[in-house]
PDB file of all heavy atoms in Angstrom:
ATOM      1  N   LYS A   1     103.560  94.377 109.483  1.00 96.00           N
ATOM      2  CA  LYS A   1     104.186  93.475 108.516  1.00 96.00           C
ATOM      3  C   LYS A   1     103.363  92.208 108.322  1.00 96.00           C
ATOM      4  O   LYS A   1     103.218  91.715 107.198  1.00 96.00           O
ATOM      5  CB  LYS A   1     105.610  93.135 108.953  1.00 96.00           C
ATOM      6  CG  LYS A   1     106.565  94.319 108.909  1.00 96.00           C
ATOM      7  CD  LYS A   1     108.013  93.880 109.005  1.00 96.00           C
ATOM      8  CE  LYS A   1     108.305  93.160 110.305  1.00 96.00           C
ATOM      9  NZ  LYS A   1     109.716  92.712 110.393  1.00 96.00           N
ATOM     10  N   VAL A   2     102.813  91.690 109.427  1.00 98.00           N
ATOM     11  CA  VAL A   2     101.981  90.491 109.330  1.00 98.00           C
ATOM     12  C   VAL A   2     100.673  90.804 108.604  1.00 98.00           C
ATOM     13  O   VAL A   2     100.228  90.032 107.735  1.00 98.00           O
ATOM     14  CB  VAL A   2     101.697  89.909 110.729  1.00 98.00           C
ATOM     15  CG1 VAL A   2     100.647  88.798 110.655  1.00 98.00           C
ATOM     16  CG2 VAL A   2     102.981  89.357 111.347  1.00 98.00           C
ATOM     17  N   LEU A   3     100.062  91.936 108.923  1.00 98.00           N
ATOM     18  CA  LEU A   3      98.810  92.319 108.269  1.00 98.00           C
ATOM     19  C   LEU A   3      98.998  92.474 106.760  1.00 98.00           C
ATOM     20  O   LEU A   3      98.131  92.070 105.970  1.00 98.00           O
ATOM     21  CB  LEU A   3      98.290  93.629 108.867  1.00 98.00           C
ATOM     22  CG  LEU A   3      97.702  93.547 110.279  1.00 98.00           C
ATOM     23  CD1 LEU A   3      97.498  94.942 110.861  1.00 98.00           C
ATOM     24  CD2 LEU A   3      96.388  92.769 110.284  1.00 98.00           C
ATOM     25  N   ILE A   4     100.129  93.040 106.359  1.00 97.00           N
ATOM     26  CA  ILE A   4     100.398  93.196 104.921  1.00 97.00           C
ATOM     27  C   ILE A   4     100.547  91.828 104.261  1.00 97.00           C
ATOM     28  O   ILE A   4     100.005  91.586 103.175  1.00 97.00           O
ATOM     29  CB  ILE A   4     101.645  94.070 104.694  1.00 97.00           C
ATOM     30  CG1 ILE A   4     101.349  95.519 105.101  1.00 97.00           C
ATOM     31  CG2 ILE A   4     102.096  94.014 103.241  1.00 97.00           C
ATOM     32  CD1 ILE A   4     102.560  96.441 105.074  1.00 97.00           C
ATOM     33  N   GLN A   5     101.266  90.914 104.929  1.00 96.00           N
ATOM     34  CA  GLN A   5     101.415  89.566 104.362  1.00 96.00           C
ATOM     35  C   GLN A   5     100.072  88.850 104.242  1.00 96.00           C
ATOM     36  O   GLN A   5      99.865  88.050 103.323  1.00 96.00           O
ATOM     37  CB  GLN A   5     102.370  88.737 105.222  1.00 96.00           C
ATOM     38  CG  GLN A   5     103.821  89.187 105.145  1.00 96.00           C
ATOM     39  CD  GLN A   5     104.725  88.296 105.968  1.00 96.00           C
ATOM     40  OE1 GLN A   5     105.065  87.193 105.552  1.00 96.00           O
ATOM     41  NE2 GLN A   5     105.109  88.764 107.151  1.00 96.00           N
ATOM     42  N   LEU A   6      99.160  89.156 105.179  1.00 97.00           N
ATOM     43  CA  LEU A   6      97.828  88.558 105.146  1.00 97.00           C
ATOM     44  C   LEU A   6      96.869  89.359 104.257  1.00 97.00           C
ATOM     45  O   LEU A   6      95.679  89.030 104.179  1.00 97.00           O
ATOM     46  CB  LEU A   6      97.254  88.475 106.573  1.00 97.00           C
ATOM     47  CG  LEU A   6      97.967  87.506 107.522  1.00 97.00           C
ATOM     48  CD1 LEU A   6      97.455  87.678 108.946  1.00 97.00           C
ATOM     49  CD2 LEU A   6      97.774  86.061 107.066  1.00 97.00           C
ATOM     50  N   LYS A   7      97.404  90.407 103.597  1.00 96.00           N
ATOM     51  CA  LYS A   7      96.630  91.266 102.696  1.00 96.00           C
ATOM     52  C   LYS A   7      95.471  91.978 103.395  1.00 96.00           C
ATOM     53  O   LYS A   7      94.456  92.312 102.776  1.00 96.00           O
ATOM     54  CB  LYS A   7      96.134  90.475 101.475  1.00 96.00           C
ATOM     55  CG  LYS A   7      97.265  89.870 100.649  1.00 96.00           C
ATOM     56  CD  LYS A   7      96.774  89.298  99.346  1.00 96.00           C
ATOM     57  CE  LYS A   7      97.907  88.631  98.559  1.00 96.00           C
ATOM     58  NZ  LYS A   7      99.041  89.531  98.275  1.00 96.00           N
ATOM     59  N   GLN A   8      95.646  92.237 104.684  1.00 97.00           N
ATOM     60  CA  GLN A   8      94.670  93.039 105.425  1.00 97.00           C
ATOM     61  C   GLN A   8      95.139  94.499 105.389  1.00 97.00           C
ATOM     62  O   GLN A   8      95.578  95.070 106.384  1.00 97.00           O
ATOM     63  CB  GLN A   8      94.538  92.517 106.857  1.00 97.00           C
ATOM     64  CG  GLN A   8      93.985  91.102 106.952  1.00 97.00           C
ATOM     65  CD  GLN A   8      93.778  90.646 108.385  1.00 97.00           C
ATOM     66  OE1 GLN A   8      93.553  91.447 109.290  1.00 97.00           O
ATOM     67  NE2 GLN A   8      93.852  89.339 108.602  1.00 97.00           N
ATOM     68  N   TYR A   9      95.046  95.087 104.203  1.00 97.00           N
ATOM     69  CA  TYR A   9      95.679  96.364 103.942  1.00 97.00           C
ATOM     70  C   TYR A   9      95.078  97.518 104.751  1.00 97.00           C
ATOM     71  O   TYR A   9      95.807  98.396 105.223  1.00 97.00           O
ATOM     72  CB  TYR A   9      95.629  96.689 102.449  1.00 97.00           C
ATOM     73  CG  TYR A   9      96.406  95.731 101.587  1.00 97.00           C
ATOM     74  CD1 TYR A   9      95.973  95.397 100.306  1.00 97.00           C
ATOM     75  CD2 TYR A   9      97.601  95.156 102.036  1.00 97.00           C
ATOM     76  CE1 TYR A   9      96.696  94.524  99.499  1.00 97.00           C
ATOM     77  CE2 TYR A   9      98.330  94.277 101.252  1.00 97.00           C
ATOM     78  CZ  TYR A   9      97.867  93.957  99.980  1.00 97.00           C
ATOM     79  OH  TYR A   9      98.575  93.091  99.194  1.00 97.00           O
ATOM     80  N   GLU A  10      93.774  97.545 104.896  1.00 96.00           N
ATOM     81  CA  GLU A  10      93.154  98.652 105.620  1.00 96.00           C
ATOM     82  C   GLU A  10      93.574  98.667 107.089  1.00 96.00           C
ATOM     83  O   GLU A  10      93.840  99.727 107.665  1.00 96.00           O
ATOM     84  CB  GLU A  10      91.626  98.579 105.501  1.00 96.00           C
ATOM     85  CG  GLU A  10      91.093  98.867 104.106  1.00 96.00           C
ATOM     86  CD  GLU A  10      91.384 100.294 103.651  1.00 96.00           C
ATOM     87  OE1 GLU A  10      91.584 101.171 104.514  1.00 96.00           O
ATOM     88  OE2 GLU A  10      91.417 100.518 102.426  1.00 96.00           O
ATOM     89  N   ASN A  11      93.653  97.479 107.702  1.00 97.00           N
ATOM     90  CA  ASN A  11      94.115  97.398 109.094  1.00 97.00           C
ATOM     91  C   ASN A  11      95.576  97.811 109.213  1.00 97.00           C
ATOM     92  O   ASN A  11      95.968  98.493 110.168  1.00 97.00           O
ATOM     93  CB  ASN A  11      93.920  95.983 109.636  1.00 97.00           C
ATOM     94  CG  ASN A  11      92.467  95.638 109.846  1.00 97.00           C
ATOM     95  OD1 ASN A  11      91.639  96.515 110.068  1.00 97.00           O
ATOM     96  ND2 ASN A  11      92.140  94.348 109.785  1.00 97.00           N
ATOM     97  N   ALA A  12      96.388  97.394 108.240  1.00 97.00           N
ATOM     98  CA  ALA A  12      97.804  97.775 108.235  1.00 97.00           C
ATOM     99  C   ALA A  12      97.942  99.290 108.089  1.00 97.00           C
ATOM    100  O   ALA A  12      98.773  99.916 108.751  1.00 97.00           O
ATOM    101  CB  ALA A  12      98.539  97.059 107.108  1.00 97.00           C
ATOM    102  N   LEU A  13      97.118  99.874 107.224  1.00 97.00           N
ATOM    103  CA  LEU A  13      97.166 101.318 107.007  1.00 97.00           C
ATOM    104  C   LEU A  13      96.826 102.071 108.291  1.00 97.00           C
ATOM    105  O   LEU A  13      97.493 103.053 108.646  1.00 97.00           O
ATOM    106  CB  LEU A  13      96.187 101.699 105.897  1.00 97.00           C
ATOM    107  CG  LEU A  13      96.082 103.194 105.572  1.00 97.00           C
ATOM    108  CD1 LEU A  13      97.430 103.763 105.147  1.00 97.00           C
ATOM    109  CD2 LEU A  13      95.030 103.424 104.489  1.00 97.00           C
ATOM    110  N   LYS A  14      95.825 101.602 108.991  1.00 96.00           N
ATOM    111  CA  LYS A  14      95.428 102.240 110.257  1.00 96.00           C
ATOM    112  C   LYS A  14      96.598 102.241 111.245  1.00 96.00           C
ATOM    113  O   LYS A  14      96.903 103.255 111.881  1.00 96.00           O
ATOM    114  CB  LYS A  14      94.233 101.511 110.851  1.00 96.00           C
ATOM    115  CG  LYS A  14      93.737 102.063 112.176  1.00 96.00           C
ATOM    116  CD  LYS A  14      92.484 101.304 112.627  1.00 96.00           C
ATOM    117  CE  LYS A  14      91.978 101.819 113.983  1.00 96.00           C
ATOM    118  NZ  LYS A  14      92.892 101.467 115.074  1.00 96.00           N
ATOM    119  N   ASP A  15      97.271 101.091 111.370  1.00 96.00           N
ATOM    120  CA  ASP A  15      98.417 100.999 112.279  1.00 96.00           C
ATOM    121  C   ASP A  15      99.554 101.921 111.844  1.00 96.00           C
ATOM    122  O   ASP A  15     100.197 102.580 112.673  1.00 96.00           O
ATOM    123  CB  ASP A  15      98.926  99.561 112.350  1.00 96.00           C
ATOM    124  CG  ASP A  15      98.220  98.741 113.409  1.00 96.00           C
ATOM    125  OD1 ASP A  15      97.426  99.307 114.176  1.00 96.00           O
ATOM    126  OD2 ASP A  15      98.461  97.512 113.485  1.00 96.00           O
ATOM    127  N   LEU A  16      99.837 101.966 110.549  1.00 96.00           N
ATOM    128  CA  LEU A  16     100.949 102.785 110.059  1.00 96.00           C
ATOM    129  C   LEU A  16     100.694 104.273 110.282  1.00 96.00           C
ATOM    130  O   LEU A  16     101.618 105.023 110.610  1.00 96.00           O
ATOM    131  CB  LEU A  16     101.185 102.506 108.570  1.00 96.00           C
ATOM    132  CG  LEU A  16     101.985 101.239 108.268  1.00 96.00           C
ATOM    133  CD1 LEU A  16     101.910 100.892 106.788  1.00 96.00           C
ATOM    134  CD2 LEU A  16     103.446 101.394 108.704  1.00 96.00           C
ATOM    135  N   LEU A  17      99.462 104.699 110.125  1.00 95.00           N
ATOM    136  CA  LEU A  17      99.148 106.104 110.370  1.00 95.00           C
ATOM    137  C   LEU A  17      99.315 106.444 111.849  1.00 95.00           C
ATOM    138  O   LEU A  17      99.767 107.547 112.193  1.00 95.00           O
ATOM    139  CB  LEU A  17      97.725 106.414 109.898  1.00 95.00           C
ATOM    140  CG  LEU A  17      97.518 106.336 108.377  1.00 95.00           C
ATOM    141  CD1 LEU A  17      96.055 106.558 108.016  1.00 95.00           C
ATOM    142  CD2 LEU A  17      98.405 107.342 107.647  1.00 95.00           C
ATOM    143  N   GLU A  18      98.982 105.491 112.722  1.00 93.00           N
ATOM    144  CA  GLU A  18      99.212 105.711 114.156  1.00 93.00           C
ATOM    145  C   GLU A  18     100.705 105.714 114.466  1.00 93.00           C
ATOM    146  O   GLU A  18     101.181 106.519 115.267  1.00 93.00           O
ATOM    147  CB  GLU A  18      98.505 104.617 114.963  1.00 93.00           C
ATOM    148  CG  GLU A  18      96.985 104.718 114.931  1.00 93.00           C
ATOM    149  CD  GLU A  18      96.319 103.580 115.682  1.00 93.00           C
ATOM    150  OE1 GLU A  18      97.044 102.750 116.272  1.00 93.00           O
ATOM    151  OE2 GLU A  18      95.071 103.517 115.675  1.00 93.00           O
ATOM    152  N   LEU A  19     101.450 104.821 113.805  1.00 94.00           N
ATOM    153  CA  LEU A  19     102.901 104.760 114.015  1.00 94.00           C
ATOM    154  C   LEU A  19     103.582 106.041 113.554  1.00 94.00           C
ATOM    155  O   LEU A  19     104.572 106.474 114.146  1.00 94.00           O
ATOM    156  CB  LEU A  19     103.484 103.569 113.249  1.00 94.00           C
ATOM    157  CG  LEU A  19     103.486 102.227 113.972  1.00 94.00           C
ATOM    158  CD1 LEU A  19     103.853 101.110 113.005  1.00 94.00           C
ATOM    159  CD2 LEU A  19     104.462 102.247 115.140  1.00 94.00           C
ATOM    160  N   ARG A  20     103.056 106.628 112.507  1.00 91.00           N
ATOM    161  CA  ARG A  20     103.630 107.877 112.001  1.00 91.00           C
ATOM    162  C   ARG A  20     103.599 108.958 113.082  1.00 91.00           C
ATOM    163  O   ARG A  20     104.526 109.776 113.181  1.00 91.00           O
ATOM    164  CB  ARG A  20     102.852 108.325 110.765  1.00 91.00           C
ATOM    165  CG  ARG A  20     103.470 109.495 110.028  1.00 91.00           C
ATOM    166  CD  ARG A  20     102.690 109.793 108.770  1.00 91.00           C
ATOM    167  NE  ARG A  20     101.293 110.121 109.056  1.00 91.00           N
ATOM    168  CZ  ARG A  20     100.378 110.361 108.114  1.00 91.00           C
ATOM    169  NH1 ARG A  20     100.720 110.288 106.838  1.00 91.00           N
ATOM    170  NH2 ARG A  20      99.140 110.665 108.450  1.00 91.00           N
ATOM    171  N   ASP A  21     102.564 108.932 113.902  1.00 89.00           N
ATOM    172  CA  ASP A  21     102.467 109.896 114.999  1.00 89.00           C
ATOM    173  C   ASP A  21     103.314 109.483 116.196  1.00 89.00           C
ATOM    174  O   ASP A  21     103.883 110.321 116.888  1.00 89.00           O
ATOM    175  CB  ASP A  21     101.011 110.052 115.436  1.00 89.00           C
ATOM    176  CG  ASP A  21     100.138 110.653 114.342  1.00 89.00           C
ATOM    177  OD1 ASP A  21     100.679 111.430 113.518  1.00 89.00           O
ATOM    178  OD2 ASP A  21      98.936 110.335 114.284  1.00 89.00           O
ATOM    179  N   LEU A  22     103.406 108.154 116.436  1.00 87.00           N
ATOM    180  CA  LEU A  22     104.180 107.651 117.574  1.00 87.00           C
ATOM    181  C   LEU A  22     105.684 107.790 117.350  1.00 87.00           C
ATOM    182  O   LEU A  22     106.437 108.055 118.284  1.00 87.00           O
ATOM    183  CB  LEU A  22     103.845 106.176 117.835  1.00 87.00           C
ATOM    184  CG  LEU A  22     102.538 105.852 118.544  1.00 87.00           C
ATOM    185  CD1 LEU A  22     102.290 104.341 118.544  1.00 87.00           C
ATOM    186  CD2 LEU A  22     102.563 106.360 119.984  1.00 87.00           C
ATOM    187  N   ALA A  23     106.132 107.571 116.117  1.00 88.00           N
ATOM    188  CA  ALA A  23     107.572 107.583 115.822  1.00 88.00           C
ATOM    189  C   ALA A  23     107.825 108.410 114.556  1.00 88.00           C
ATOM    190  O   ALA A  23     108.159 107.865 113.503  1.00 88.00           O
ATOM    191  CB  ALA A  23     108.083 106.154 115.653  1.00 88.00           C
ATOM    192  N   PRO A  24     107.666 109.735 114.642  1.00 89.00           N
ATOM    193  CA  PRO A  24     107.764 110.584 113.443  1.00 89.00           C
ATOM    194  C   PRO A  24     109.153 110.625 112.810  1.00 89.00           C
ATOM    195  O   PRO A  24     109.291 110.994 111.640  1.00 89.00           O
ATOM    196  CB  PRO A  24     107.358 111.973 113.959  1.00 89.00           C
ATOM    197  CG  PRO A  24     107.621 111.935 115.427  1.00 89.00           C
ATOM    198  CD  PRO A  24     107.355 110.519 115.852  1.00 89.00           C
ATOM    199  N   GLU A  25     110.197 110.230 113.558  1.00 92.00           N
ATOM    200  CA  GLU A  25     111.561 110.276 113.029  1.00 92.00           C
ATOM    201  C   GLU A  25     112.022 108.925 112.490  1.00 92.00           C
ATOM    202  O   GLU A  25     113.166 108.795 112.042  1.00 92.00           O
ATOM    203  CB  GLU A  25     112.534 110.743 114.127  1.00 92.00           C
ATOM    204  CG  GLU A  25     112.208 112.119 114.704  1.00 92.00           C
ATOM    205  CD  GLU A  25     112.200 113.196 113.640  1.00 92.00           C
ATOM    206  OE1 GLU A  25     113.114 113.189 112.797  1.00 92.00           O
ATOM    207  OE2 GLU A  25     111.282 114.027 113.642  1.00 92.00           O
ATOM    208  N   GLU A  26     111.162 107.929 112.534  1.00 93.00           N
ATOM    209  CA  GLU A  26     111.529 106.577 112.089  1.00 93.00           C
ATOM    210  C   GLU A  26     111.260 106.437 110.598  1.00 93.00           C
ATOM    211  O   GLU A  26     110.106 106.398 110.156  1.00 93.00           O
ATOM    212  CB  GLU A  26     110.732 105.536 112.887  1.00 93.00           C
ATOM    213  CG  GLU A  26     110.979 104.101 112.470  1.00 93.00           C
ATOM    214  CD  GLU A  26     112.442 103.728 112.417  1.00 93.00           C
ATOM    215  OE1 GLU A  26     113.112 103.810 113.469  1.00 93.00           O
ATOM    216  OE2 GLU A  26     112.905 103.377 111.309  1.00 93.00           O
ATOM    217  N   ALA A  27     112.320 106.341 109.810  1.00 94.00           N
ATOM    218  CA  ALA A  27     112.193 106.338 108.345  1.00 94.00           C
ATOM    219  C   ALA A  27     111.462 105.108 107.819  1.00 94.00           C
ATOM    220  O   ALA A  27     110.828 105.159 106.755  1.00 94.00           O
ATOM    221  CB  ALA A  27     113.576 106.422 107.707  1.00 94.00           C
ATOM    222  N   ASN A  28     111.548 103.989 108.532  1.00 94.00           N
ATOM    223  CA  ASN A  28     110.904 102.772 108.047  1.00 94.00           C
ATOM    224  C   ASN A  28     109.386 102.895 107.986  1.00 94.00           C
ATOM    225  O   ASN A  28     108.740 102.202 107.213  1.00 94.00           O
ATOM    226  CB  ASN A  28     111.277 101.583 108.942  1.00 94.00           C
ATOM    227  CG  ASN A  28     112.639 101.021 108.600  1.00 94.00           C
ATOM    228  OD1 ASN A  28     113.025 100.986 107.437  1.00 94.00           O
ATOM    229  ND2 ASN A  28     113.381 100.601 109.607  1.00 94.00           N
ATOM    230  N   VAL A  29     108.820 103.782 108.813  1.00 95.00           N
ATOM    231  CA  VAL A  29     107.360 103.920 108.831  1.00 95.00           C
ATOM    232  C   VAL A  29     106.850 104.523 107.519  1.00 95.00           C
ATOM    233  O   VAL A  29     106.013 103.910 106.841  1.00 95.00           O
ATOM    234  CB  VAL A  29     106.891 104.735 110.058  1.00 95.00           C
ATOM    235  CG1 VAL A  29     105.385 104.999 109.968  1.00 95.00           C
ATOM    236  CG2 VAL A  29     107.218 103.996 111.338  1.00 95.00           C
ATOM    237  N   PRO A  30     107.330 105.712 107.086  1.00 96.00           N
ATOM    238  CA  PRO A  30     106.864 106.211 105.781  1.00 96.00           C
ATOM    239  C   PRO A  30     107.298 105.327 104.616  1.00 96.00           C
ATOM    240  O   PRO A  30     106.604 105.258 103.593  1.00 96.00           O
ATOM    241  CB  PRO A  30     107.479 107.616 105.684  1.00 96.00           C
ATOM    242  CG  PRO A  30     108.597 107.625 106.673  1.00 96.00           C
ATOM    243  CD  PRO A  30     108.195 106.697 107.764  1.00 96.00           C
ATOM    244  N   PHE A  31     108.429 104.637 104.764  1.00 96.00           N
ATOM    245  CA  PHE A  31     108.881 103.737 103.693  1.00 96.00           C
ATOM    246  C   PHE A  31     107.878 102.596 103.493  1.00 96.00           C
ATOM    247  O   PHE A  31     107.436 102.338 102.361  1.00 96.00           O
ATOM    248  CB  PHE A  31     110.263 103.188 104.028  1.00 96.00           C
ATOM    249  CG  PHE A  31     110.783 102.196 103.022  1.00 96.00           C
ATOM    250  CD1 PHE A  31     111.098 102.608 101.728  1.00 96.00           C
ATOM    251  CD2 PHE A  31     110.958 100.865 103.360  1.00 96.00           C
ATOM    252  CE1 PHE A  31     111.572 101.697 100.784  1.00 96.00           C
ATOM    253  CE2 PHE A  31     111.427  99.956 102.429  1.00 96.00           C
ATOM    254  CZ  PHE A  31     111.734 100.368 101.139  1.00 96.00           C
ATOM    255  N   VAL A  32     107.512 101.931 104.583  1.00 96.00           N
ATOM    256  CA  VAL A  32     106.537 100.835 104.482  1.00 96.00           C
ATOM    257  C   VAL A  32     105.165 101.379 104.093  1.00 96.00           C
ATOM    258  O   VAL A  32     104.434 100.747 103.323  1.00 96.00           O
ATOM    259  CB  VAL A  32     106.469 100.051 105.811  1.00 96.00           C
ATOM    260  CG1 VAL A  32     105.352  99.002 105.766  1.00 96.00           C
ATOM    261  CG2 VAL A  32     107.803  99.372 106.100  1.00 96.00           C
ATOM    262  N   LEU A  33     104.827 102.565 104.599  1.00 96.00           N
ATOM    263  CA  LEU A  33     103.556 103.188 104.244  1.00 96.00           C
ATOM    264  C   LEU A  33     103.509 103.462 102.734  1.00 96.00           C
ATOM    265  O   LEU A  33     102.482 103.235 102.081  1.00 96.00           O
ATOM    266  CB  LEU A  33     103.378 104.487 105.032  1.00 96.00           C
ATOM    267  CG  LEU A  33     102.054 105.244 104.860  1.00 96.00           C
ATOM    268  CD1 LEU A  33     100.864 104.353 105.178  1.00 96.00           C
ATOM    269  CD2 LEU A  33     102.043 106.481 105.762  1.00 96.00           C
ATOM    270  N   GLY A  34     104.622 103.909 102.176  1.00 95.00           N
ATOM    271  CA  GLY A  34     104.689 104.142 100.733  1.00 95.00           C
ATOM    272  C   GLY A  34     104.489 102.859  99.946  1.00 95.00           C
ATOM    273  O   GLY A  34     103.757 102.829  98.941  1.00 95.00           O
ATOM    274  N   LYS A  35     105.133 101.771 100.406  1.00 95.00           N
ATOM    275  CA  LYS A  35     104.971 100.484  99.720  1.00 95.00           C
ATOM    276  C   LYS A  35     103.523 100.007  99.805  1.00 95.00           C
ATOM    277  O   LYS A  35     102.980  99.443  98.846  1.00 95.00           O
ATOM    278  CB  LYS A  35     105.916  99.451 100.334  1.00 95.00           C
ATOM    279  CG  LYS A  35     107.384  99.725 100.036  1.00 95.00           C
ATOM    280  CD  LYS A  35     108.314  98.785 100.793  1.00 95.00           C
ATOM    281  CE  LYS A  35     108.217  97.373 100.282  1.00 95.00           C
ATOM    282  NZ  LYS A  35     109.186  96.480 100.970  1.00 95.00           N
TER     283      LYS A  35
END
């Protein structure tokens, strides 16, 4: 969330892809990834 606010999109994307594997049932991860 902080990386997105700082417009560091590539770093945020890297974290979200890792989170998708860590928490595959957490809906907020694909939701934020979509945004």
